[in-house]
Amino acid sequence: MTIVRPRIVIVGGGFGGMSAAKALKRIDADITLIDRTNYHLFQPMLYQVATASLAPSDITAPIRYILRNHKNVTVLLAEVNGIDVNRKVVSVDIPAREIPYDFLILAPGSRHSYFGHTEWEEFAPGLKAVEDASEVRRRFLLAFERAEKAADLEDREANLTFIIVGGGPTGVELSGALPPIAREALYRDFRHIDTRKTRVILLEGGPVILPSFPQELRDVALKSLEEIGVDVRTNSVVTEVNEDGVRIGDERILSRTVFWAAGNEASPLGKMLGVPLDRAGRVLVTDDLSIPGHEEVFVAGDLAHVIRKDGRLVPGVAPAANQEGVTAAKNVIRILRRQPTRPFRYFNKGDLAVIGRSRAIADFGKVRFGGRIAWLLWLFVHIMYLVGFRNRVTVFIEWAYNYFTYQRGVRLITNAERRRPAAPLP
Amino acid sequence: MTIVRPRIVIVGGGFGGMSAAKALKRIDADITLIDRTNYHLFQPMLYQVATASLAPSDITAPIRYILRNHKNVTVLLAEVNGIDVNRKVVSVDIPAREIPYDFLILAPGSRHSYFGHTEWEEFAPGLKAVEDASEVRRRFLLAFERAEKAADLEDREANLTFIIVGGGPTGVELSGALPPIAREALYRDFRHIDTRKTRVILLEGGPVILPSFPQELRDVALKSLEEIGVDVRTNSVVTEVNEDGVRIGDERILSRTVFWAAGNEASPLGKMLGVPLDRAGRVLVTDDLSIPGHEEVFVAGDLAHVIRKDGRLVPGVAPAANQEGVTAAKNVIRILRRQPTRPFRYFNKGDLAVIGRSRAIADFGKVRFGGRIAWLLWLFVHIMYLVGFRNRVTVFIEWAYNYFTYQRGVRLITNAERRRPAAPLP
């Protein structure tokens, strides 16, 4: 095809979409990046916002700000509610209109999934967006307030019991972060309760936690979690979640605070492409990340179902989304230059998971280790990553200060139901 | 009266209530401090949260944390919905119960007032609580997003016009903070609009802005505001506020974003005391800040109507609330020691108001000045005050960094109406 000044639409301002926009910086094109929020979120540290260790503003940056020097990019704050790959248009809300494209890079991410039990969401919020983290933080902090006011022992214990459903990295990081805060940051704040008696229970339906890690690291993680005081229960499939806690078959666990980290489902935008999806709603992309029958439509990030050479799925992590975004962008450039596209190759930079406040596990294939060294590595990698958002030295000072002193300001409970809700505004 | 271990209830965790609790540290008593939020708010810098210069967590600290070493204080997160001064009980919600007291110190603060036009609140949010500031910030940032998407010139201009109603310190600080951010922080972020064309209009119903300041400083403030680009209109009584803007008699000003800083009304708790109130709902306290007929009930902060020696009202500012809280607490101690109470004397530490990002005016009675020196003084006083919240050096570094670089992270728009609302939780 011959296109003088191509129109490229990127859906999503997460890792996939942002890396695609950046990789397209030098080409002569009209790029529109659409997101329903005005910020890029550094999702790997979202659990720290949820546990009142960092503020939302510590891990977000406005998409417009990040792309302010990308003169070929127009940022649009809107929700995509339709894609027509035959007419080559994307539909957005407020104001409702269609945006035509010559190339589409789709990177809308995923949401947590309740496996059909959407009624559980009210009792067990997940952790994907900033609002989710604020909600988790609110419930976490309110539980202690309710325990302090509790009329009887059962009510008090139910309020001091926190259940995390799902033993993947998010569940492990969230459950590991709660006990130190309860014990070290909060215990002098209350008069009627001993926050050191907080119970944190991590429920995993399968036989092991962190199934994507090798056995030896899973053992390290399990041991570390148990040392922190997390009650890890595998083979525990949750069969009910309600205001009183959870049910696992015949067993009931009383808890007023349940968090959900058990599964993801891809963005519903995948369904609009008219191509085959996997069970989780991910698009079965071709080798070069385009969709079958439409070489001008690419998918990156959590929405893409991509198989590695060894047959395993590329994981839904930030480095994978970044790499896919770059490959999609480069393939757009190659098509414009009448060159053949190139297949995507996942480069696994290694997997890291934090346990508590000073341990982690690191898997680099042949090199595997756990403990404080892994935690320092995690810290280094994440702090360096955050650097792109803000100022290197300041981020480090601030982060270190907040982390080691249990920053007090972020322990605020906002949006309590007493306040009037935000007025609807376009 | 003879009370072995007195029960003291303090309502409000603002400046009045917190200073009272601190002044009671060494007495043998059961003190209950009740607030409906879990944090103390440094309200003088709230407008900086509203204008995306600071994050909410920069100017808040958990009440429990501040009072963690006050072993005679129990903090209760609850809303007070009744006071019976004859039975000496305070009623709270969730769980509903009555808390008996021997002494009551009432410092619940105030809310902004729409002079009977509560229907205006939806179109013109005020600025008292953290949630207000988040809402103002959301509307401020969304206006540029809508302007970027606007279909015609009129819609674009209406979205780039911001109206602040009320020429007191809050209105002046808010209106002065908007133009620099629009011009310096945002102008490279957009493609279809020139944010430097943002109009900010400050409407004051009376003949002058900052009526509590002397004429010479009002002139300095007015000149500074006009230099920044604020369109200051005095003698402009707003007669209607709706989604299209405001009406001043026959004149209409089109604007999609109106903020309210025009008046305060005291907490409705004052009405429950059964004693005379002033027009704004403030309690006409006696010399020692107790209420007529009940020497065991004290009022401090915005709810107290206190007259200075020169006949003027003690202003609703943080230093006044602090001083009143301390006096109320000391008078409680004096009654317990069978000593006569002492009358309250307001010590005016001076008045400061910021204009824009590098000017201020300072009024110390005989010494009056404006400009950069006044701004540096304002900065010093406020930073030193914030010190109690966090760590001296960190606060300063962070604040300076955020202020001079226009911190990007805080420019996040959250709680958009698209997100599911927070589930109701006690």
Side-chain angles (χ1 to χ4, degrees):
Chain A
M1 74 181 83
T2 302
I3 300 164
V4 179
R5 190 174 162 85
R7 296 162 299 182
I8 304 171
V9 169
I10 300 172
V11 177
F15 289 104
M18 294 303 277
S19 64
K22 287 179 176 176
L24 293 167
K25 182 168 188 180
R26 304 203 178 282
I27 72 159
D28 187 30
D30 285 321
I31 303 169
T32 304
L33 188 146
I34 309 170
D35 198 295
R36 58 182 173 185
T37 75
N38 76 328
Y39 51 85
H40 172 69
L41 168 66
F42 189 67
Q43 224 174 27
M45 285 172 110
L46 192 60
Y47 80 95
Q48 296 207 342
V49 174
T51 54
S53 296
L54 290 177
S57 53
D58 292 333
I59 61 164
T60 52
I63 292 169
R64 292 189 184 285
Y65 176 82
I66 300 172
L67 297 175
R68 70 198 179 286
N69 294 327
H70 291 245
K71 296 299 177 194
N72 59 0
V73 179
T74 300
V75 176
L76 183 63
L77 178 73
E79 179 136 13
V80 173
N81 49 29
I83 299 169
D84 187 331
V85 291
N86 296 315
R87 291 174 49 232
K88 296 187 183 176
V89 292
V90 165
S91 312
V92 297
D93 66 351
I94 316 173
R97 62 186 176 112
E98 291 189 336
I99 299 166
Y101 64 79
D102 299 306
F103 295 95
L104 175 64
I105 298 176
L106 205 54
S110 58
R111 285 288 294 172
H112 36 267
S113 160
Y114 292 84
F115 309 119
H117 290 281
T118 48
E119 74 277 13
W120 293 354
E121 182 162 15
E122 162 182 12
F123 308 109
L127 191 56
K128 277 282 172 188
V130 168
E131 284 84 356
D132 299 332
S134 298
E135 179 63 15
V136 168
R137 181 178 67 184
R138 189 172 83 89
R139 294 186 185 211
F140 174 61
L141 296 171
L142 272 177
F144 294 100
E145 298 290 342
R146 285 195 309 264
E148 175 86 347
K149 296 192 278 191
D152 57 60
L153 189 67
E154 188 183 83
D155 187 25
R156 179 164 299 164
E157 287 185 351
N159 274 307
L160 288 178
T161 300
F162 298 88
I163 294 174
I164 292 94
V165 183
T170 300
V172 166
E173 288 175 343
L174 192 56
S175 62
L178 298 182
I181 289 172
R183 263 182 234 132
E184 291 157 43
L186 300 178
Y187 87 98
R188 281 202 298 169
D189 285 6
F190 294 88
R191 299 290 176 260
H192 301 303
I193 57 172
D194 183 351
T195 63
R196 291 171 297 186
K197 290 185 177 163
T198 299
R199 288 174 71 204
V200 177
I201 304 169
L202 177 63
L203 300 177
E204 165 59 41
V208 293
I209 59 166
L210 299 170
S212 65
F213 283 85
Q215 180 67 41
E216 60 193 273
L217 291 182
R218 294 200 295 253
D219 292 344
V220 172
L222 181 62
K223 191 159 165 283
S224 299
L225 281 175
E226 288 176 344
E227 279 171 11
I228 294 165
V230 178
D231 181 1
V232 181
R233 303 191 190 175
T234 49
N235 294 311
S236 296
V237 176
V238 170
T239 51
E240 197 187 333
V241 183
N242 60 32
E243 60 203 338
D244 294 323
V246 304
R247 193 182 279 278
I248 304 161
D250 290 341
E251 192 192 358
R252 278 181 61 107
I253 309 178
L254 286 182
S255 166
R256 299 268 181 272
T257 318
V258 182
F259 300 130
W260 191 261
N264 292 324
E265 64 188 357
S267 161
L269 295 183
K271 295 192 191 82
M272 300 175 185
L273 300 176
V275 295
L277 309 177
D278 70 8
R279 279 201 319 161
R282 284 174 293 224
V283 177
L284 300 170
V285 293
T286 63
D287 277 359
D288 66 0
L289 301 181
S290 66
I291 65 171
H294 288 277
E295 65 159 24
E296 74 284 2
V297 178
F298 295 87
V299 181
D302 286 1
L303 182 58
H305 176 110
V306 187
I307 300 295
R308 285 191 257 194
K309 272 186 292 183
D310 62 5
R312 289 191 296 156
L313 202 66
V314 173
V317 296
N322 272 332
Q323 293 171 32
E324 288 164 9
V326 169
T327 295
K330 286 188 172 168
N331 279 337
V332 167
I333 295 171
R334 293 183 71 81
I335 293 173
L336 287 170
R337 292 180 182 156
R338 297 161 180 270
Q339 295 166 339
T341 59
R342 286 191 178 155
F344 173 70
R345 290 235 176 85
Y346 178 55
F347 174 64
N348 183 4
K349 293 181 172 176
D351 292 321
L352 287 163
V354 186
I355 299 115
R357 287 177 70 89
S358 60
R359 307 266 178 92
I361 54 175
D363 176 18
F364 297 94
K366 284 170 189 167
V367 182
R368 299 164 176 177
F369 53 102
R372 281 179 194 275
I373 302 291
W375 183 78
L376 285 171
L377 181 71
W378 174 90
L379 181 63
F380 179 78
V381 168
H382 286 70
I383 291 289
M384 286 302 104
Y385 219 107
L386 274 176
V387 159
F389 285 7
R390 299 171 74 181
N391 176 292
R392 192 177 299 245
V393 178
T394 314
V395 161
F396 184 75
I397 292 175
E398 198 178 314
W399 188 90
Y401 175 74
N402 292 349
Y403 199 76
F404 290 106
T405 63
Y406 297 97
Q407 186 190 19
R408 297 146 228 168
V410 297
R411 291 215 297 273
L412 72 167
I413 302 171
T414 51
N415 298 317
E417 78 288 357
R418 289 190 183 106
R419 297 278 174 192
R420 66 189 156 74
L425 259 192
Chain B
M1 75 182 79
T2 303
I3 300 164
V4 179
R5 191 173 163 85
R7 295 162 301 183
I8 304 172
V9 169
I10 299 172
V11 177
F15 289 104
M18 294 303 277
S19 63
K22 287 178 177 177
L24 293 167
K25 182 168 188 181
R26 304 203 178 282
I27 72 161
D28 187 30
D30 285 323
I31 303 169
T32 303
L33 188 146
I34 310 169
D35 198 293
R36 56 183 173 185
T37 75
N38 76 328
Y39 51 85
H40 173 69
L41 168 65
F42 188 66
Q43 225 174 24
M45 286 173 108
L46 192 59
Y47 80 96
Q48 297 208 341
V49 174
T51 55
S53 298
L54 291 177
S57 53
D58 292 333
I59 60 163
T60 52
I63 293 169
R64 293 190 183 285
Y65 177 82
I66 300 172
L67 298 176
R68 70 198 179 286
N69 293 328
H70 291 246
K71 295 300 178 197
N72 58 1
V73 179
T74 300
V75 176
L76 184 63
L77 178 72
E79 179 135 13
V80 173
N81 50 27
I83 299 169
D84 187 330
V85 291
N86 296 315
R87 290 173 51 231
K88 296 187 181 176
V89 292
V90 165
S91 311
V92 297
D93 66 350
I94 314 172
R97 62 186 175 111
E98 291 188 337
I99 300 166
Y101 64 79
D102 298 306
F103 295 95
L104 175 64
I105 298 176
L106 205 54
S110 57
R111 283 290 291 172
H112 35 269
S113 159
Y114 292 84
F115 309 120
H117 290 281
T118 48
E119 74 277 13
W120 293 354
E121 180 162 16
E122 161 181 13
F123 307 109
L127 191 56
K128 278 282 174 190
V130 168
E131 283 85 355
D132 298 332
S134 298
E135 179 63 14
V136 168
R137 180 177 68 182
R138 188 171 83 90
R139 293 187 185 213
F140 174 61
L141 296 171
L142 272 177
F144 295 100
E145 298 290 341
R146 284 195 310 263
E148 175 86 346
K149 296 191 280 189
D152 57 60
L153 189 66
E154 187 183 86
D155 187 25
R156 180 164 298 164
E157 286 185 351
N159 274 307
L160 288 179
T161 301
F162 297 88
I163 294 175
I164 292 92
V165 182
T170 299
V172 166
E173 288 175 343
L174 192 55
S175 62
L178 298 183
I181 290 171
R183 263 182 235 133
E184 292 157 42
L186 300 177
Y187 88 97
R188 283 202 298 166
D189 285 6
F190 293 88
R191 299 290 176 261
H192 302 301
I193 57 171
D194 182 351
T195 64
R196 291 171 297 187
K197 291 185 177 163
T198 299
R199 288 174 70 203
V200 176
I201 304 169
L202 177 63
L203 300 177
E204 164 59 40
V208 292
I209 60 165
L210 298 170
S212 65
F213 282 85
Q215 180 66 41
E216 61 191 273
L217 290 181
R218 293 200 295 253
D219 291 344
V220 172
L222 182 61
K223 190 160 166 285
S224 299
L225 281 175
E226 287 174 346
E227 278 171 12
I228 294 166
V230 177
D231 181 1
V232 181
R233 303 191 191 174
T234 50
N235 293 312
S236 297
V237 177
V238 169
T239 51
E240 197 187 332
V241 183
N242 60 33
E243 59 203 338
D244 293 323
V246 304
R247 193 182 278 278
I248 303 160
D250 290 339
E251 191 193 1
R252 276 180 64 105
I253 308 177
L254 287 182
S255 166
R256 298 266 181 276
T257 318
V258 182
F259 300 130
W260 191 261
N264 292 324
E265 65 187 358
S267 161
L269 294 184
K271 296 191 189 83
M272 299 175 185
L273 300 176
V275 294
L277 310 178
D278 71 7
R279 278 199 320 161
R282 284 175 293 225
V283 177
L284 300 170
V285 293
T286 64
D287 278 358
D288 66 359
L289 302 181
S290 66
I291 65 171
H294 288 278
E295 64 158 25
E296 75 283 2
V297 178
F298 294 87
V299 181
D302 286 0
L303 183 58
H305 176 109
V306 186
I307 301 295
R308 286 192 256 194
K309 271 186 291 183
D310 62 6
R312 289 193 297 158
L313 201 67
V314 172
V317 295
N322 272 332
Q323 292 171 32
E324 289 164 9
V326 170
T327 295
K330 285 188 173 168
N331 279 337
V332 166
I333 296 173
R334 294 184 70 81
I335 293 172
L336 288 170
R337 290 182 183 155
R338 297 160 182 271
Q339 295 166 338
T341 59
R342 287 190 178 156
F344 173 70
R345 291 233 175 85
Y346 178 54
F347 174 64
N348 184 4
K349 293 181 172 178
D351 292 322
L352 287 163
V354 186
I355 299 115
R357 286 176 71 88
S358 59
R359 307 265 178 93
I361 53 175
D363 176 19
F364 296 94
K366 284 170 191 168
V367 183
R368 297 164 177 177
F369 54 102
R372 280 179 195 275
I373 302 292
W375 182 78
L376 286 172
L377 180 72
W378 174 88
L379 181 63
F380 179 78
V381 168
H382 285 71
I383 292 290
M384 285 303 103
Y385 218 106
L386 274 176
V387 160
F389 283 9
R390 299 170 74 182
N391 175 291
R392 191 176 301 243
V393 178
T394 315
V395 161
F396 186 75
I397 293 175
E398 197 178 315
W399 188 89
Y401 175 73
N402 292 349
Y403 199 75
F404 290 106
T405 62
Y406 297 98
Q407 186 190 20
R408 298 145 227 169
V410 297
R411 291 214 297 273
L412 72 166
I413 302 172
T414 51
N415 298 317
E417 79 288 356
R418 287 190 185 105
R419 297 280 174 192
R420 64 190 156 74
L425 257 192

